[in-house]
Amino acid sequence: MYATSYHRASSVGEAVNLRASHDEGRYVSGGMTLIATMKQRLAAPSDLIDLRHIADLRGISVEGRSVRIGAATPHADVAGSAALRTVCPALCHLAGLIGDPHVRNMGTIGGSVANNDPAADYPSAVLALNATVVTDRREIAADDFFLGMFDTALEEAEMITAFRFEAPEKAGYAKFPNPASRYAITGVFVAKTAGGARVAVTGAGSSGVFRVPEMEAALLSSWAPESVANVSVDPAQLMSDLHATAEYRANLVRVMAKRAVQASL
Amino acid sequence: MGTVFEETRAPSMGQEEDNMAKVTLTVNGRTMSGECDDRTLLVHFIREKLGLTGTHVGCDTTQCGACVVHMDGRSVKSCSILAVQASGSTVTTIEGIAAQGELHPVQAAFNQHHGLQCGFCTPGMVMTAVDMIGRHGGALDEATVRHELEGNICRCTGYHNIVKAVLAANEEMHGAARQAAE
Ligand SMILES: Cc1cc2nc3c(=O)[nH]c(=O)nc-3n(C[C@H](O)[C@H](O)[C@H](O)COP(=O)(O)OP(=O)(O)OC[C@H]3O[C@@H](n4cnc5c(N)ncnc54)[C@H](O)[C@@H]3O)c2cc1C
Ligand code: FES
Ligand code: FES
């Protein structure tokens, strides 16, 4: 690992100021992506601004159907939240499938979404739930947030502080994990929201998480696994790598979508 | 620190100078401090500064779990946390779980059920099992144990005896309480 300077922030304002005054600095939340990458010398931030000790960034609140999850809330807390489970158990299920228990104890939802790894689980939920990404300076709709692999609408030094969404009427998540890393080879999150049916796919797209309008239309007329069973996705927009070909992933999208709808019932 | 940081550094990357920090931890019930670079990993701090070498390093990809310790009551991979990130927290390592020279029930079960061969993965396995048993409050079955060992790799045993040991320790620690409740 290259040398770095560590700063522990105690408020959002302090963290943003620190980050803004170090061009080559980075926020560190759980570090389960960033520290791991620094160990490989694939990242070399001059400064690390630690968000883990900012109390405002942690925790889950559920009021009626309105959910708010702080950006520095670890995956284990999302998986284990009784309040969240009553209104959106699919999100608890998704969080419990990430990595392993130790990774879930450190890794956070904000770090995962900011990183926007094309095989990460959370981006599919944020997009399918039509969540609002709250930052230190504005609110960004999920549809405007994910711009491509590892690319988001976040500006230089902009920090995610929380996620907000209305609990869906129904939701489900199914993933086909890479057997070694547990990242999604393909994962599909389906949600029946006030604004209609939403289907978001992670792990498969060649430019990151994406929605499948044909499946959404089919689910709008009938919310049943059979509705998505025959909707095919064009392999041309999917990834091919040593784990799976684009054609195989296209099939997985259908199968995972079917299982996700089944799980939502 | 040792061979870990001896490679030459590209001139434009990272900081020019190492920033030194004082790290204070409560380890196995004792407050311990030491100086280290900001980039020092918690596992290296524990092994090299505190001299507690029971915690191992088995990979550089955060996947093997040989380095698992408990930080503020949660199991974590100490190879992927900086010592400065952990400063101020309470840490339990494999050296800290046996009370007064008596093996912890999980250690005793690994011994009895041959849950180890070379022993390299064992500290991480035991710390993972202690956390797992605590979190599930007695409700553990084989499938759950196997699923929860996701983050720990063993190259020797084939896992069968590790799973047996965890289930036996769970029974030892919670069985009595369950019988009393029935
Ligand atoms: C062995 C292993 C297995 C894993 N398996 C999975 C898996 O199955 N599925 C999955 O989805 N993920 C997986 N992960 C990744 C894990 O979920 C990470 O925790 C997550 O991707 C990043 O979250 P973090 O809090 O650790 O972020 P960090 O590593 O701290 O940060 C990641 C990036 O986000 C930035 N950042 C962090 N917080 C914020 C914020 N609030 N605002 C703006 N930018 C921010 C950082 O600057 C950095 O660039 C795995 C990781 C490991 C090590
Ligand atoms: S040494 Fe920490 S996971 Fe391998
Ligand atoms: S006993 Fe040798 S690696 Fe597990």
PDB file of all heavy atoms in Angstrom, chain A residues 1-6 8 39-41 46 52 77 100 102 105 182, chain B residues 8-9 15 18 38-39 60 74-75 77 79 84-85 87 128 150-152:
ATOM      1  N   MET A   1       0.839  -1.205   0.000  1.00  0.00           N
ATOM      2  CA  MET A   1       0.000   0.000   0.000  1.00  0.00           C
ATOM      3  C   MET A   1       0.871   1.251   0.000  1.00  0.00           C
ATOM      4  O   MET A   1       1.889   1.290   0.671  1.00  0.00           O
ATOM      5  CB  MET A   1      -0.876  -0.008   1.265  1.00  0.00           C
ATOM      6  CG  MET A   1      -1.931   1.068   1.274  1.00  0.00           C
ATOM      7  SD  MET A   1      -2.868   1.121   2.831  1.00  0.00           S
ATOM      8  CE  MET A   1      -3.622  -0.491   2.891  1.00  0.00           C
ATOM      9  N   TYR A   2       0.484   2.242  -0.777  1.00  0.00           N
ATOM     10  CA  TYR A   2       1.208   3.517  -0.756  1.00  0.00           C
ATOM     11  C   TYR A   2       0.857   4.273   0.520  1.00  0.00           C
ATOM     12  O   TYR A   2      -0.201   4.046   1.111  1.00  0.00           O
ATOM     13  CB  TYR A   2       0.825   4.363  -1.972  1.00  0.00           C
ATOM     14  CG  TYR A   2       1.255   3.759  -3.290  1.00  0.00           C
ATOM     15  CD1 TYR A   2       0.315   3.207  -4.151  1.00  0.00           C
ATOM     16  CD2 TYR A   2       2.595   3.738  -3.652  1.00  0.00           C
ATOM     17  CE1 TYR A   2       0.702   2.643  -5.358  1.00  0.00           C
ATOM     18  CE2 TYR A   2       2.994   3.174  -4.860  1.00  0.00           C
ATOM     19  CZ  TYR A   2       2.050   2.628  -5.705  1.00  0.00           C
ATOM     20  OH  TYR A   2       2.440   2.069  -6.886  1.00  0.00           O
ATOM     21  N   ALA A   3       1.729   5.201   0.893  1.00  0.00           N
ATOM     22  CA  ALA A   3       1.481   5.994   2.095  1.00  0.00           C
ATOM     23  C   ALA A   3       0.224   6.850   1.907  1.00  0.00           C
ATOM     24  O   ALA A   3      -0.136   7.219   0.786  1.00  0.00           O
ATOM     25  CB  ALA A   3       2.677   6.884   2.391  1.00  0.00           C
ATOM     26  N   THR A   4      -0.429   7.145   3.017  1.00  0.00           N
ATOM     27  CA  THR A   4      -1.635   7.959   2.975  1.00  0.00           C
ATOM     28  C   THR A   4      -1.767   8.672   4.311  1.00  0.00           C
ATOM     29  O   THR A   4      -1.111   8.304   5.278  1.00  0.00           O
ATOM     30  CB  THR A   4      -2.864   7.079   2.678  1.00  0.00           C
ATOM     31  OG1 THR A   4      -3.996   7.911   2.420  1.00  0.00           O
ATOM     32  CG2 THR A   4      -3.187   6.146   3.836  1.00  0.00           C
ATOM     33  N   SER A   5      -2.605   9.718   4.355  1.00  0.00           N
ATOM     34  CA  SER A   5      -2.866  10.407   5.627  1.00  0.00           C
ATOM     35  C   SER A   5      -4.320  10.209   6.015  1.00  0.00           C
ATOM     36  O   SER A   5      -5.213  10.414   5.199  1.00  0.00           O
ATOM     37  CB  SER A   5      -2.599  11.907   5.488  1.00  0.00           C
ATOM     38  OG  SER A   5      -1.237  12.137   5.316  1.00  0.00           O
ATOM     39  N   TYR A   6      -4.527   9.844   7.239  1.00  0.00           N
ATOM     40  CA  TYR A   6      -5.865   9.489   7.718  1.00  0.00           C
ATOM     41  C   TYR A   6      -6.494  10.636   8.498  1.00  0.00           C
ATOM     42  O   TYR A   6      -5.833  11.274   9.313  1.00  0.00           O
ATOM     43  CB  TYR A   6      -5.731   8.262   8.618  1.00  0.00           C
ATOM     44  CG  TYR A   6      -6.994   7.862   9.350  1.00  0.00           C
ATOM     45  CD1 TYR A   6      -7.970   7.099   8.725  1.00  0.00           C
ATOM     46  CD2 TYR A   6      -7.205   8.251  10.685  1.00  0.00           C
ATOM     47  CE1 TYR A   6      -9.111   6.717   9.407  1.00  0.00           C
ATOM     48  CE2 TYR A   6      -8.351   7.877  11.368  1.00  0.00           C
ATOM     49  CZ  TYR A   6      -9.303   7.109  10.721  1.00  0.00           C
ATOM     50  OH  TYR A   6     -10.434   6.734  11.389  1.00  0.00           O
ATOM     51  N   ARG A   8     -10.165  11.472  10.702  1.00  0.00           N
ATOM     52  CA  ARG A   8     -11.443  10.956  11.194  1.00  0.00           C
ATOM     53  C   ARG A   8     -12.412  12.128  11.351  1.00  0.00           C
ATOM     54  O   ARG A   8     -12.191  13.004  12.175  1.00  0.00           O
ATOM     55  CB  ARG A   8     -11.251  10.256  12.540  1.00  0.00           C
ATOM     56  CG  ARG A   8     -12.515   9.620  13.057  1.00  0.00           C
ATOM     57  CD  ARG A   8     -12.281   8.851  14.334  1.00  0.00           C
ATOM     58  NE  ARG A   8     -11.463   7.654  14.112  1.00  0.00           N
ATOM     59  CZ  ARG A   8     -11.247   6.720  15.042  1.00  0.00           C
ATOM     60  NH1 ARG A   8     -11.791   6.847  16.240  1.00  0.00           N
ATOM     61  NH2 ARG A   8     -10.503   5.659  14.767  1.00  0.00           N
ATOM     62  N   LYS A  39      -4.581  -2.001  -0.961  1.00  0.00           N
ATOM     63  CA  LYS A  39      -3.615  -3.067  -0.694  1.00  0.00           C
ATOM     64  C   LYS A  39      -3.004  -3.594  -1.991  1.00  0.00           C
ATOM     65  O   LYS A  39      -1.853  -3.994  -2.032  1.00  0.00           O
ATOM     66  CB  LYS A  39      -4.295  -4.221   0.060  1.00  0.00           C
ATOM     67  CG  LYS A  39      -4.446  -3.960   1.545  1.00  0.00           C
ATOM     68  CD  LYS A  39      -5.357  -4.954   2.228  1.00  0.00           C
ATOM     69  CE  LYS A  39      -4.990  -6.391   1.992  1.00  0.00           C
ATOM     70  NZ  LYS A  39      -5.855  -7.309   2.775  1.00  0.00           N
ATOM     71  N   GLN A  40      -3.814  -3.608  -3.046  1.00  0.00           N
ATOM     72  CA  GLN A  40      -3.333  -4.082  -4.353  1.00  0.00           C
ATOM     73  C   GLN A  40      -2.583  -2.992  -5.120  1.00  0.00           C
ATOM     74  O   GLN A  40      -2.178  -3.196  -6.262  1.00  0.00           O
ATOM     75  CB  GLN A  40      -4.515  -4.542  -5.226  1.00  0.00           C
ATOM     76  CG  GLN A  40      -5.484  -5.503  -4.563  1.00  0.00           C
ATOM     77  CD  GLN A  40      -4.961  -6.918  -4.535  1.00  0.00           C
ATOM     78  OE1 GLN A  40      -4.019  -7.244  -5.223  1.00  0.00           O
ATOM     79  NE2 GLN A  40      -5.572  -7.763  -3.717  1.00  0.00           N
ATOM     80  N   ARG A  41      -2.467  -1.827  -4.514  1.00  0.00           N
ATOM     81  CA  ARG A  41      -1.864  -0.651  -5.162  1.00  0.00           C
ATOM     82  C   ARG A  41      -2.617  -0.240  -6.424  1.00  0.00           C
ATOM     83  O   ARG A  41      -2.035   0.307  -7.364  1.00  0.00           O
ATOM     84  CB  ARG A  41      -0.387  -0.901  -5.476  1.00  0.00           C
ATOM     85  CG  ARG A  41       0.440  -1.044  -4.210  1.00  0.00           C
ATOM     86  CD  ARG A  41       1.913  -1.012  -4.498  1.00  0.00           C
ATOM     87  NE  ARG A  41       2.655  -0.601  -3.310  1.00  0.00           N
ATOM     88  CZ  ARG A  41       3.918  -0.175  -3.335  1.00  0.00           C
ATOM     89  NH1 ARG A  41       4.551  -0.076  -4.472  1.00  0.00           N
ATOM     90  NH2 ARG A  41       4.521   0.182  -2.228  1.00  0.00           N
ATOM     91  N   SER A  46      -4.171  10.239  -1.484  1.00  0.00           N
ATOM     92  CA  SER A  46      -3.206  10.921  -0.608  1.00  0.00           C
ATOM     93  C   SER A  46      -3.761  11.001   0.806  1.00  0.00           C
ATOM     94  O   SER A  46      -3.018  10.959   1.774  1.00  0.00           O
ATOM     95  CB  SER A  46      -2.952  12.335  -1.129  1.00  0.00           C
ATOM     96  OG  SER A  46      -4.150  13.090  -1.045  1.00  0.00           O
ATOM     97  N   ARG A  52     -16.955   6.587   9.168  1.00  0.00           N
ATOM     98  CA  ARG A  52     -17.577   5.572  10.015  1.00  0.00           C
ATOM     99  C   ARG A  52     -17.960   6.098  11.395  1.00  0.00           C
ATOM    100  O   ARG A  52     -18.740   5.484  12.099  1.00  0.00           O
ATOM    101  CB  ARG A  52     -16.598   4.388  10.174  1.00  0.00           C
ATOM    102  CG  ARG A  52     -17.252   3.039  10.317  1.00  0.00           C
ATOM    103  CD  ARG A  52     -16.227   1.945  10.111  1.00  0.00           C
ATOM    104  NE  ARG A  52     -15.127   2.041  11.055  1.00  0.00           N
ATOM    105  CZ  ARG A  52     -15.130   1.491  12.272  1.00  0.00           C
ATOM    106  NH1 ARG A  52     -16.166   0.806  12.677  1.00  0.00           N
ATOM    107  NH2 ARG A  52     -14.098   1.621  13.065  1.00  0.00           N
ATOM    108  N   ASP A  77     -26.440  -4.462   9.412  1.00  0.00           N
ATOM    109  CA  ASP A  77     -27.551  -3.766  10.076  1.00  0.00           C
ATOM    110  C   ASP A  77     -28.788  -3.726   9.184  1.00  0.00           C
ATOM    111  O   ASP A  77     -29.917  -3.804   9.663  1.00  0.00           O
ATOM    112  CB  ASP A  77     -27.140  -2.338  10.459  1.00  0.00           C
ATOM    113  CG  ASP A  77     -26.088  -2.326  11.557  1.00  0.00           C
ATOM    114  OD1 ASP A  77     -25.535  -3.399  11.857  1.00  0.00           O
ATOM    115  OD2 ASP A  77     -25.807  -1.246  12.113  1.00  0.00           O
ATOM    116  N   ASP A 100     -19.588 -11.962   2.948  1.00  0.00           N
ATOM    117  CA  ASP A 100     -19.609 -12.871   4.087  1.00  0.00           C
ATOM    118  C   ASP A 100     -19.888 -12.063   5.355  1.00  0.00           C
ATOM    119  O   ASP A 100     -19.939 -10.830   5.294  1.00  0.00           O
ATOM    120  CB  ASP A 100     -18.267 -13.612   4.166  1.00  0.00           C
ATOM    121  CG  ASP A 100     -17.086 -12.658   4.311  1.00  0.00           C
ATOM    122  OD1 ASP A 100     -17.079 -11.866   5.272  1.00  0.00           O
ATOM    123  OD2 ASP A 100     -16.169 -12.693   3.467  1.00  0.00           O
ATOM    124  N   HIS A 102     -18.191 -11.059   7.859  1.00  0.00           N
ATOM    125  CA  HIS A 102     -17.201 -10.051   8.248  1.00  0.00           C
ATOM    126  C   HIS A 102     -17.249  -8.841   7.315  1.00  0.00           C
ATOM    127  O   HIS A 102     -17.140  -7.700   7.760  1.00  0.00           O
ATOM    128  CB  HIS A 102     -15.792 -10.661   8.264  1.00  0.00           C
ATOM    129  CG  HIS A 102     -15.792 -12.100   8.692  1.00  0.00           C
ATOM    130  ND1 HIS A 102     -16.289 -12.495   9.894  1.00  0.00           N
ATOM    131  CD2 HIS A 102     -15.422 -13.237   8.048  1.00  0.00           C
ATOM    132  CE1 HIS A 102     -16.203 -13.828   9.984  1.00  0.00           C
ATOM    133  NE2 HIS A 102     -15.687 -14.294   8.873  1.00  0.00           N
ATOM    134  N   ASN A 105     -20.215  -6.771   8.218  1.00  0.00           N
ATOM    135  CA  ASN A 105     -20.062  -5.980   9.442  1.00  0.00           C
ATOM    136  C   ASN A 105     -19.365  -4.656   9.192  1.00  0.00           C
ATOM    137  O   ASN A 105     -19.519  -3.724   9.969  1.00  0.00           O
ATOM    138  CB  ASN A 105     -19.282  -6.769  10.501  1.00  0.00           C
ATOM    139  CG  ASN A 105     -20.182  -7.742  11.233  1.00  0.00           C
ATOM    140  OD1 ASN A 105     -21.390  -7.556  11.289  1.00  0.00           O
ATOM    141  ND2 ASN A 105     -19.599  -8.781  11.813  1.00  0.00           N
ATOM    142  N   ARG A 182     -19.054 -14.147  -4.293  1.00  0.00           N
ATOM    143  CA  ARG A 182     -20.471 -13.877  -3.947  1.00  0.00           C
ATOM    144  C   ARG A 182     -21.024 -12.653  -4.662  1.00  0.00           C
ATOM    145  O   ARG A 182     -22.195 -12.333  -4.505  1.00  0.00           O
ATOM    146  CB  ARG A 182     -20.766 -13.748  -2.442  1.00  0.00           C
ATOM    147  CG  ARG A 182     -20.114 -14.748  -1.540  1.00  0.00           C
ATOM    148  CD  ARG A 182     -20.145 -16.160  -2.033  1.00  0.00           C
ATOM    149  NE  ARG A 182     -21.448 -16.799  -1.935  1.00  0.00           N
ATOM    150  CZ  ARG A 182     -21.719 -18.019  -2.386  1.00  0.00           C
ATOM    151  NH1 ARG A 182     -20.774 -18.725  -2.960  1.00  0.00           N
ATOM    152  NH2 ARG A 182     -22.918 -18.530  -2.279  1.00  0.00           N
TER     153      ARG A 182
ATOM    154  N   THR B   8       9.334  -0.279  -4.491  1.00  0.00           N
ATOM    155  CA  THR B   8       9.515   1.150  -4.757  1.00  0.00           C
ATOM    156  C   THR B   8       8.184   1.757  -5.154  1.00  0.00           C
ATOM    157  O   THR B   8       7.314   1.097  -5.714  1.00  0.00           O
ATOM    158  CB  THR B   8      10.527   1.384  -5.885  1.00  0.00           C
ATOM    159  OG1 THR B   8      10.139   0.578  -6.977  1.00  0.00           O
ATOM    160  CG2 THR B   8      11.929   1.049  -5.434  1.00  0.00           C
ATOM    161  N   ARG B   9       8.044   3.009  -4.890  1.00  0.00           N
ATOM    162  CA  ARG B   9       6.771   3.691  -5.084  1.00  0.00           C
ATOM    163  C   ARG B   9       6.845   4.613  -6.298  1.00  0.00           C
ATOM    164  O   ARG B   9       7.812   5.332  -6.488  1.00  0.00           O
ATOM    165  CB  ARG B   9       6.476   4.489  -3.819  1.00  0.00           C
ATOM    166  CG  ARG B   9       5.368   5.466  -3.942  1.00  0.00           C
ATOM    167  CD  ARG B   9       4.666   5.694  -2.620  1.00  0.00           C
ATOM    168  NE  ARG B   9       5.554   5.712  -1.471  1.00  0.00           N
ATOM    169  CZ  ARG B   9       5.887   6.823  -0.826  1.00  0.00           C
ATOM    170  NH1 ARG B   9       5.452   7.990  -1.248  1.00  0.00           N
ATOM    171  NH2 ARG B   9       6.651   6.777   0.232  1.00  0.00           N
ATOM    172  N   GLN B  15       1.037   9.772  -0.645  1.00  0.00           N
ATOM    173  CA  GLN B  15       1.776  10.788   0.088  1.00  0.00           C
ATOM    174  C   GLN B  15       3.261  10.549  -0.093  1.00  0.00           C
ATOM    175  O   GLN B  15       3.708   9.430  -0.258  1.00  0.00           O
ATOM    176  CB  GLN B  15       1.448  10.638   1.578  1.00  0.00           C
ATOM    177  CG  GLN B  15       0.099  11.167   1.955  1.00  0.00           C
ATOM    178  CD  GLN B  15       0.165  12.650   2.164  1.00  0.00           C
ATOM    179  OE1 GLN B  15       0.958  13.140   2.920  1.00  0.00           O
ATOM    180  NE2 GLN B  15      -0.692  13.357   1.470  1.00  0.00           N
ATOM    181  N   ASP B  18       5.358   9.164   5.152  1.00  0.00           N
ATOM    182  CA  ASP B  18       4.388   8.453   5.962  1.00  0.00           C
ATOM    183  C   ASP B  18       3.935   9.322   7.117  1.00  0.00           C
ATOM    184  O   ASP B  18       4.747   9.946   7.788  1.00  0.00           O
ATOM    185  CB  ASP B  18       5.010   7.174   6.513  1.00  0.00           C
ATOM    186  CG  ASP B  18       4.789   6.022   5.564  1.00  0.00           C
ATOM    187  OD1 ASP B  18       3.649   5.862   5.119  1.00  0.00           O
ATOM    188  OD2 ASP B  18       5.751   5.301   5.260  1.00  0.00           O
ATOM    189  N   ASP B  38       0.077   5.633   9.118  1.00  0.00           N
ATOM    190  CA  ASP B  38      -1.362   5.624   8.853  1.00  0.00           C
ATOM    191  C   ASP B  38      -1.770   4.423   7.990  1.00  0.00           C
ATOM    192  O   ASP B  38      -2.875   3.923   8.081  1.00  0.00           O
ATOM    193  CB  ASP B  38      -1.794   6.926   8.146  1.00  0.00           C
ATOM    194  CG  ASP B  38      -1.979   8.068   9.143  1.00  0.00           C
ATOM    195  OD1 ASP B  38      -1.715   7.856  10.347  1.00  0.00           O
ATOM    196  OD2 ASP B  38      -2.387   9.164   8.711  1.00  0.00           O
ATOM    197  N   ARG B  39      -0.846   3.965   7.126  1.00  0.00           N
ATOM    198  CA  ARG B  39      -1.226   2.876   6.221  1.00  0.00           C
ATOM    199  C   ARG B  39      -1.075   1.481   6.847  1.00  0.00           C
ATOM    200  O   ARG B  39      -1.320   0.480   6.163  1.00  0.00           O
ATOM    201  CB  ARG B  39      -0.404   2.948   4.943  1.00  0.00           C
ATOM    202  CG  ARG B  39       1.086   2.810   5.159  1.00  0.00           C
ATOM    203  CD  ARG B  39       1.807   2.705   3.824  1.00  0.00           C
ATOM    204  NE  ARG B  39       3.124   3.318   3.883  1.00  0.00           N
ATOM    205  CZ  ARG B  39       4.028   3.197   2.906  1.00  0.00           C
ATOM    206  NH1 ARG B  39       3.729   2.527   1.817  1.00  0.00           N
ATOM    207  NH2 ARG B  39       5.195   3.781   3.016  1.00  0.00           N
ATOM    208  N   ASP B  60      -4.249 -11.800   0.183  1.00  0.00           N
ATOM    209  CA  ASP B  60      -4.233 -10.340   0.062  1.00  0.00           C
ATOM    210  C   ASP B  60      -5.474  -9.843  -0.678  1.00  0.00           C
ATOM    211  O   ASP B  60      -5.478  -8.803  -1.292  1.00  0.00           O
ATOM    212  CB  ASP B  60      -2.937  -9.848  -0.600  1.00  0.00           C
ATOM    213  CG  ASP B  60      -2.747 -10.411  -1.994  1.00  0.00           C
ATOM    214  OD1 ASP B  60      -3.654 -11.127  -2.468  1.00  0.00           O
ATOM    215  OD2 ASP B  60      -1.704 -10.137  -2.611  1.00  0.00           O
ATOM    216  N   ARG B  74     -18.082  -7.178  16.944  1.00  0.00           N
ATOM    217  CA  ARG B  74     -18.449  -7.746  15.640  1.00  0.00           C
ATOM    218  C   ARG B  74     -17.233  -8.377  14.976  1.00  0.00           C
ATOM    219  O   ARG B  74     -16.133  -7.826  15.049  1.00  0.00           O
ATOM    220  CB  ARG B  74     -18.953  -6.643  14.698  1.00  0.00           C
ATOM    221  CG  ARG B  74     -20.270  -6.037  15.129  1.00  0.00           C
ATOM    222  CD  ARG B  74     -20.617  -4.923  14.171  1.00  0.00           C
ATOM    223  NE  ARG B  74     -21.995  -4.479  14.368  1.00  0.00           N
ATOM    224  CZ  ARG B  74     -22.812  -4.106  13.390  1.00  0.00           C
ATOM    225  NH1 ARG B  74     -22.407  -4.117  12.141  1.00  0.00           N
ATOM    226  NH2 ARG B  74     -24.037  -3.719  13.643  1.00  0.00           N
ATOM    227  N   SER B  75     -17.431  -9.482  14.287  1.00  0.00           N
ATOM    228  CA  SER B  75     -16.309 -10.117  13.601  1.00  0.00           C
ATOM    229  C   SER B  75     -15.929  -9.298  12.372  1.00  0.00           C
ATOM    230  O   SER B  75     -16.788  -8.871  11.603  1.00  0.00           O
ATOM    231  CB  SER B  75     -16.680 -11.549  13.192  1.00  0.00           C
ATOM    232  OG  SER B  75     -17.695 -11.530  12.218  1.00  0.00           O
ATOM    233  N   LYS B  77     -12.501  -8.517   9.309  1.00  0.00           N
ATOM    234  CA  LYS B  77     -11.244  -8.970   8.724  1.00  0.00           C
ATOM    235  C   LYS B  77     -10.179  -7.913   8.983  1.00  0.00           C
ATOM    236  O   LYS B  77     -10.175  -6.855   8.348  1.00  0.00           O
ATOM    237  CB  LYS B  77     -11.450  -9.232   7.230  1.00  0.00           C
ATOM    238  CG  LYS B  77     -12.296 -10.492   7.000  1.00  0.00           C
ATOM    239  CD  LYS B  77     -12.618 -10.770   5.557  1.00  0.00           C
ATOM    240  CE  LYS B  77     -13.075 -12.230   5.400  1.00  0.00           C
ATOM    241  NZ  LYS B  77     -13.612 -12.515   4.042  1.00  0.00           N
ATOM    242  N   CYS B  79      -7.245  -7.632   8.208  1.00  0.00           N
ATOM    243  CA  CYS B  79      -6.301  -7.344   7.130  1.00  0.00           C
ATOM    244  C   CYS B  79      -6.821  -6.245   6.217  1.00  0.00           C
ATOM    245  O   CYS B  79      -6.127  -5.814   5.315  1.00  0.00           O
ATOM    246  CB  CYS B  79      -6.085  -8.584   6.267  1.00  0.00           C
ATOM    247  SG  CYS B  79      -7.546  -8.996   5.286  1.00  0.00           S
ATOM    248  N   VAL B  84      -5.386   2.793  12.289  1.00  0.00           N
ATOM    249  CA  VAL B  84      -5.946   4.111  12.674  1.00  0.00           C
ATOM    250  C   VAL B  84      -7.474   4.129  12.609  1.00  0.00           C
ATOM    251  O   VAL B  84      -8.124   4.825  13.376  1.00  0.00           O
ATOM    252  CB  VAL B  84      -5.389   5.266  11.811  1.00  0.00           C
ATOM    253  CG1 VAL B  84      -4.005   5.660  12.272  1.00  0.00           C
ATOM    254  CG2 VAL B  84      -5.409   4.934  10.332  1.00  0.00           C
ATOM    255  N   GLN B  85      -8.052   3.359  11.668  1.00  0.00           N
ATOM    256  CA  GLN B  85      -9.517   3.282  11.605  1.00  0.00           C
ATOM    257  C   GLN B  85     -10.063   2.627  12.876  1.00  0.00           C
ATOM    258  O   GLN B  85     -11.155   2.936  13.326  1.00  0.00           O
ATOM    259  CB  GLN B  85      -9.968   2.434  10.400  1.00  0.00           C
ATOM    260  CG  GLN B  85      -9.956   3.101   9.053  1.00  0.00           C
ATOM    261  CD  GLN B  85     -10.350   2.090   7.977  1.00  0.00           C
ATOM    262  OE1 GLN B  85      -9.567   1.215   7.615  1.00  0.00           O
ATOM    263  NE2 GLN B  85     -11.560   2.196   7.471  1.00  0.00           N
ATOM    264  N   SER B  87      -8.618   2.628  15.853  1.00  0.00           N
ATOM    265  CA  SER B  87      -8.180   3.253  17.103  1.00  0.00           C
ATOM    266  C   SER B  87      -9.378   3.668  17.958  1.00  0.00           C
ATOM    267  O   SER B  87     -10.351   4.216  17.450  1.00  0.00           O
ATOM    268  CB  SER B  87      -7.302   4.472  16.805  1.00  0.00           C
ATOM    269  OG  SER B  87      -6.675   4.901  18.002  1.00  0.00           O
ATOM    270  N   THR B 128     -14.684 -16.658  14.156  1.00  0.00           N
ATOM    271  CA  THR B 128     -15.924 -16.619  13.368  1.00  0.00           C
ATOM    272  C   THR B 128     -17.009 -17.438  14.054  1.00  0.00           C
ATOM    273  O   THR B 128     -18.166 -17.020  14.146  1.00  0.00           O
ATOM    274  CB  THR B 128     -15.648 -17.171  11.954  1.00  0.00           C
ATOM    275  OG1 THR B 128     -14.681 -16.337  11.320  1.00  0.00           O
ATOM    276  CG2 THR B 128     -16.917 -17.209  11.108  1.00  0.00           C
ATOM    277  N   GLU B 150     -18.753 -18.721   4.809  1.00  0.00           N
ATOM    278  CA  GLU B 150     -18.458 -18.166   3.492  1.00  0.00           C
ATOM    279  C   GLU B 150     -17.148 -17.392   3.435  1.00  0.00           C
ATOM    280  O   GLU B 150     -16.409 -17.471   2.458  1.00  0.00           O
ATOM    281  CB  GLU B 150     -19.596 -17.184   3.158  1.00  0.00           C
ATOM    282  CG  GLU B 150     -19.819 -16.944   1.717  1.00  0.00           C
ATOM    283  CD  GLU B 150     -20.436 -18.146   1.078  1.00  0.00           C
ATOM    284  OE1 GLU B 150     -21.662 -18.329   1.179  1.00  0.00           O
ATOM    285  OE2 GLU B 150     -19.664 -18.901   0.482  1.00  0.00           O
ATOM    286  N   GLY B 151     -16.843 -16.640   4.494  1.00  0.00           N
ATOM    287  CA  GLY B 151     -15.678 -15.753   4.467  1.00  0.00           C
ATOM    288  C   GLY B 151     -14.423 -16.368   5.055  1.00  0.00           C
ATOM    289  O   GLY B 151     -13.469 -15.659   5.333  1.00  0.00           O
ATOM    290  N   ASN B 152     -14.418 -17.690   5.260  1.00  0.00           N
ATOM    291  CA  ASN B 152     -13.258 -18.353   5.863  1.00  0.00           C
ATOM    292  C   ASN B 152     -12.862 -19.558   5.018  1.00  0.00           C
ATOM    293  O   ASN B 152     -13.677 -20.452   4.788  1.00  0.00           O
ATOM    294  CB  ASN B 152     -13.596 -18.822   7.283  1.00  0.00           C
ATOM    295  CG  ASN B 152     -13.897 -17.663   8.214  1.00  0.00           C
ATOM    296  OD1 ASN B 152     -14.948 -17.024   8.108  1.00  0.00           O
ATOM    297  ND2 ASN B 152     -12.984 -17.368   9.104  1.00  0.00           N
TER     298      ASN B 152
END
